[in-house]
Amino acid sequence: MADFVISRSTHVVADPEVVRACVGDFHEWVAWSPWEGSDPDLQRTYSGAERGTGARYEWRGNAKAGQGSMTVTSSTRSRSTSTSPSSSPSRRRTR
């Protein structure tokens, strides 16, 4: 399988510290992530740093939520927080 990179960015008109707190702390994602409503029984695991660089979030859910992980790979005071996501959809087997 070939490696590939998907990159997204946006400009948010807000206090950078507020945005960084929301993005760089995976515990805060339940308050704003559009995926949170996709599986009421979503299993979450947090590890690594509490927030910022090194924080890790893993999830496992239904077919819509799938499973995967994200790690904050860098977080700078000036402008940005970068994550490294890895996910896969759940597969349903039918007979």
Side-chain angles (χ1 to χ4, degrees):
M1 178 183 279
D3 290 337
F4 63 93
V5 174
I6 298 174
S7 177
R8 295 183 184 165
S9 64
T10 190
H11 179 78
V12 177
V13 181
D15 179 349
E17 291 299 322
V18 172
V19 175
R20 190 173 6 274
C22 290
V23 176
D25 183 346
F26 291 125
H27 299 91
E28 296 295 326
W29 285 45
V30 295
W32 63 268
S33 173
W35 291 102
E36 284 300 318
S38 63
D39 183 358
D41 297 320
L42 188 71
Q43 298 173 0
R44 300 171 186 85
T45 303
Y46 304 96
S47 59
E50 184 70 21
R51 68 185 62 78
T53 303
R56 183 170 172 81
Y57 170 55
E58 296 176 67
W59 71 92
R60 179 179 292 269
N62 62 18
K64 188 172 182 180
Q67 65 182 18
S69 65
M70 283 193 284
T71 302
V72 177
T73 56
S74 70
S75 182
T76 61
R77 288 189 49 82
S78 63
R79 301 188 70 92
S80 66
T81 298
S82 298
T83 60
S84 175
S86 172
S87 64
S88 63
S90 294
R91 292 197 170 96
R92 292 185 184 175
R93 292 186 178 174
T94 56
R95 291 183 177 207

